[in-house]
């Protein structure tokens, strides 16, 4: 299944939210050089940023002794990203809908909704400490 | 007058117009600093009517949205108004997806937003 990807990269980043931009940059450069449309690139960028921040803050709780494992894969049409933290996991079904009247004016809780909106596929493992994001070109 | 590193602040009548220095509002430390500067406009500088012009902003994450939500509450708390303008389509989409377009008063451009303060 993996052999249909023509570019891949794996990295391990510290549990520090200041490093997320640098981690994402090679993927964005790859998409831009393959002429993905800017709206798709924006969506992938946002989804990966949200997933990384969730892994660092909520998964690893910014514990610098823990890492976040990241895998990027692309081919001509699609991009796939796996992000795994070393935390205990969570049940994404328990995250409140941030658009509910009770939560609409509350800070936090919008990351997963944005991932699901901008990506074609968002799947968590059973434990909830690894997420798979996939996006195929809009056109 | 306070020194702002992440914001460009000007005044148009009774409205404080704020532009963002960063094209990408991303890094956690920058977002923290940005939030502190925005909150300072209300809490230290006693400004009530704020217009945030996003023309320079190409990217922002939900961490930045969180600061805007808190800012909106602070502005409402002093009886002021917060308006946003010049959001590029991708960023406006973020507000629509999260339904924050129903929480914030978003205008197409600065002139529209300034006119709304006069109403």
């Amino acid at each position: 299944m993996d052999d249909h990807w023509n570019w891949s990269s794996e990295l391990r980043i510290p549990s520090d939210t200041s490093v997320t931009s640098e981690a994402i940059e090679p993927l964005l450069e790859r998409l831009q050089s393959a002429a993905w449309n800017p709206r798709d690139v924006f969506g992938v960028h946002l989804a990966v940023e949200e997933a990384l921040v969730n892994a660092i803050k909520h998964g690893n709780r910014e514990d610098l002794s823990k890492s976040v494992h990241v895998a990027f894969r692309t081919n001509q049409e699609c991009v796939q990203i796996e992000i795994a933290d070393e935390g205990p996991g969570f049940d994404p079904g328990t995250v409140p809908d941030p658009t509910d009247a009770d939560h609409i004016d509350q800070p936090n809780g919008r990351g997963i909704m944005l991932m699901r909106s901008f990506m074609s596929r968002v799947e968590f493992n059973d434990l909830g400490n690894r997420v798979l994001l996939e996006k195929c070109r809009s056109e | 007058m306070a020194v702002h590193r992440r914001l460009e602040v000007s005044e148009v009548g009774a409205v404080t117009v704020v532009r963002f220095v960063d094209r990408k509002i991303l890094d956690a430390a920058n977002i923290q600093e940005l939030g502190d500067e925005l909150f300072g406009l209300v809490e230290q500088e006693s400004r009530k009517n704020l217009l945030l012009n996003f023309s320079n902003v190409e990217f922002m994450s939900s961490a930045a949205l969180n600061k805007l939500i808190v800012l909106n509450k602070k502005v409402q708390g002093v009886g002021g108004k917060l308006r946003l303008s010049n959001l590029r389509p991708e960023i406006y989409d973020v507000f629509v997806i999260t339904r924050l377009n129903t929480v914030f008063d978003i205008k197409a451009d600065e002139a529209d937003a300034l006119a709304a303060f006069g109403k």
Side-chain angles (χ1 to χ4, degrees), chain B residues 6-43:
Chain B
R6 309 249 77 89
L7 307 176
E8 292 173 6
V9 178
S10 59
E11 287 176 38
V12 179
V15 180
T16 297
V17 178
V18 179
R19 289 167 184 263
F20 298 89
V21 170
D22 300 300
R23 289 187 301 116
K24 295 182 179 182
I25 304 177
L26 256 179
D27 178 84
N30 286 355
I31 290 174
Q32 183 65 39
E33 191 174 13
L34 177 75
D36 291 344
E37 290 186 14
L38 286 170
F39 303 159
L41 294 173
V42 180
E43 293 174 333

Side-chain angles (χ1 to χ4, degrees), chain B residues 6 13 18 21 23 25 28 30 32-33 37-38 44 46 53 57 60 62 64 70 73-76 81 102:
Chain B
R6 309 249 77 89
V18 179
V21 170
R23 289 187 301 116
I25 304 177
N30 286 355
Q32 183 65 39
E33 191 174 13
E37 290 186 14
L38 286 170
Q44 271 93 52
S46 304
N53 181 328
V57 179
M60 60 187 279
S62 71
V70 175
K73 289 182 178 180
K74 289 183 187 294
V75 169
Q76 289 173 345
K81 286 274 188 192
T102 66

Side-chain angles (χ1 to χ4, degrees), chain B residues 11-113:
Chain B
E11 287 176 38
V12 179
V15 180
T16 297
V17 178
V18 179
R19 289 167 184 263
F20 298 89
V21 170
D22 300 300
R23 289 187 301 116
K24 295 182 179 182
I25 304 177
L26 256 179
D27 178 84
N30 286 355
I31 290 174
Q32 183 65 39
E33 191 174 13
L34 177 75
D36 291 344
E37 290 186 14
L38 286 170
F39 303 159
L41 294 173
V42 180
E43 293 174 333
Q44 271 93 52
E45 300 177 42
S46 304
R47 298 171 189 265
K48 286 187 170 181
N49 295 321
L50 298 185
L51 164 53
L52 307 186
N53 181 328
F54 282 80
S55 59
N56 191 41
V57 179
E58 295 175 359
F59 184 89
M60 60 187 279
S61 65
S62 71
L65 289 178
N66 298 341
K67 297 296 182 187
L68 298 182
I69 291 166
V70 175
L71 176 67
N72 198 35
K73 289 182 178 180
K74 289 183 187 294
V75 169
Q76 289 173 345
V78 296
K81 286 274 188 192
L82 173 67
R83 291 192 165 94
L84 317 183
S85 75
N86 299 80
L87 277 71
R88 61 185 59 210
E90 296 90 341
I91 293 180
Y92 184 69
D93 282 350
V94 171
F95 282 80
V96 172
I97 290 163
T98 56
R99 297 195 63 207
L100 287 173
N101 61 323
T102 66
V103 171
F104 292 100
D105 189 356
I106 301 173
K107 301 296 185 191
D109 57 35
E110 193 172 306
D112 280 354

